[in-house]
Amino acid sequence: MAYELFYWPTIQGRGEFVRLALEEAGVPYVDVARGPGGMARMMAAMDGPDHPSFAPPFLKAGELLIGQTANILLFLGQRHGLAPEDEQGRLWVNQIQLTIADLVAEAHDTHHPIATSLYYEDQRPEAKRRAADFIETRIPKFFDWFEGILGRSEPKDYLLGERVTYADLSLFQLVAGLRYAFPQALARIDAGYPLLSALHDRVAQRPRIAAYLASKRRLPFNQEGIFRHYDELDQVARPGAGHSAG
C-alpha cells in the first residue's frame, strides 16, 4: 500500500522533510495534490470529521491520518528504520527534529516578520532588520548546537554516529534551504561548521537521495516557499554586526 502525502503541489515547504524520509526509505508514496483533482482531495481531507489537520503536510497510512511534520517523521522513522528502536533514542531524534523546525520557522519569518497575510513588499523594512539578526545571531546559535552534536566525543558521520536518521535528512534540507535563501551569508558562515557541511554533502550523496534530487519529483526552491532569496536580505549580513539573541 502506497502512502498518500498531502501537501501544496508547487513548493518544497515543510512537505519536503517528509518527502526526503519517504525517498530514503524507498517506500512508494503518492504526492496527492500534484495529481488530477488532488487539491480538492487535500482540502476535503482537511475538513474531515476525525483528526483533522490544521494545515498540510499530513500523511495517510492505511486508516491513519497523521499531521505535523515532526509527528509524521516520528511515525515513519520508527516504521522504516530511520530512528532508533529504543524510546530514549526516538525521543532524542524527535527533539532534534523539533529544533530544526524552530529554525525553519525563524527562516520563514525573515521575509514575513509582521504577518503572513501581507506581501513581502509590505514589510520590507522589518524584514531587513529581522534578516540581519537571523543571520548574525540565530543561524550561528542553532548551527553551534548541531555542530556540537556531530562533534561530541569524536566527529560523527551522522547525528547518531554511522546510522542515518530522518533528522539528518531534515538537517540536509535546512542547510540547502538556507544556502538558497542567503548564499552570501552562508558562504561565510559555512566555513565555521565543517561537520555540518560534511553531513549535508554526505546526505546528498546517498543513492536514493541523489536519485531523488536529480529527478523531477524534487521541486526547485522558489519565491513561494519557506526559503526565499531576496538580495537585499542576504546583503544585510556583515561581519561584526551581531545583535543580542534575546
Side-chain angles (χ1 to χ4, degrees):
M1 182 192 309
Y3 291 114
E4 290 185 316
L5 174 64
F6 293 83
Y7 196 66
W8 309 111
T10 59
I11 60 174
Q12 291 184 18
R14 291 176 176 84
E16 194 67 12
F17 297 96
V18 180
R19 293 189 191 105
L20 287 168
L22 291 167
E23 295 285 345
E24 173 63 24
V27 295
Y29 70 98
V30 178
D31 219 326
V32 174
R34 294 188 190 179
M39 279 295 295
R41 281 194 61 200
M42 184 171 78
M43 301 312 293
M46 286 178 63
D47 291 334
D50 298 323
H51 308 122
S53 289
F54 178 74
F58 51 94
L59 184 78
K60 192 173 189 300
E63 297 300 315
L64 294 175
L65 194 62
I66 309 161
Q68 290 287 355
T69 304
N71 202 31
I72 298 168
L73 292 173
L74 182 66
F75 169 78
L76 292 174
Q78 185 172 2
R79 265 201 171 188
H80 298 290
L82 291 174
E85 295 180 1
D86 63 289
E87 183 177 41
Q88 182 175 356
R90 290 197 304 272
L91 290 173
W92 171 233
V93 173
N94 185 54
Q95 179 180 330
I96 297 172
Q97 183 66 41
L98 290 168
T99 306
I100 292 171
D102 288 342
L103 186 53
V104 170
E106 291 197 29
H108 170 272
D109 289 349
T110 60
H111 51 78
H112 277 75
I114 302 300
T116 56
S117 59
L118 296 175
Y119 290 110
Y120 165 71
E121 289 74 16
D122 296 325
Q123 47 198 318
R124 287 172 70 178
E126 295 86 357
K128 286 184 178 181
R129 292 186 64 189
R130 184 66 176 263
D133 182 74
F134 179 72
I135 290 168
E136 298 302 332
T137 68
R138 302 305 290 166
I139 294 177
K141 186 178 181 71
F142 280 89
F143 276 22
D144 283 347
W145 191 73
F146 297 132
E147 188 82 1
I149 296 171
L150 289 166
R152 186 165 291 126
S153 300
E154 60 182 11
K156 297 190 285 287
D157 286 347
Y158 298 107
L159 292 161
L160 269 61
E162 297 181 356
R163 177 181 177 182
V164 70
T165 69
Y166 63 79
D168 296 293
L169 306 176
S170 293
L171 201 49
F172 156 80
Q173 175 67 8
L174 173 66
V175 172
L178 291 175
R179 287 178 177 178
Y180 169 79
F182 305 103
Q184 294 186 61
L186 265 291
R188 170 169 57 87
I189 292 171
D190 272 344
Y193 301 95
L195 299 179
L196 185 55
S197 293
L199 180 142
H200 167 277
D201 297 345
R202 194 171 290 115
V203 168
Q205 292 163 10
R206 293 184 65 84
R208 287 172 176 165
I209 297 299
Y212 169 63
L213 296 178
S215 75
K216 292 183 179 180
R217 297 190 305 280
R218 170 75 166 188
L219 295 171
F221 290 107
N222 58 46
Q223 296 302 87
E224 297 177 358
I226 295 169
F227 301 105
R228 305 185 190 185
H229 174 69
Y230 297 99
D231 283 340
E232 59 188 325
L233 300 189
D234 192 21
Q235 292 173 1
V236 299
R238 47 190 199 283
H243 304 274
S244 171

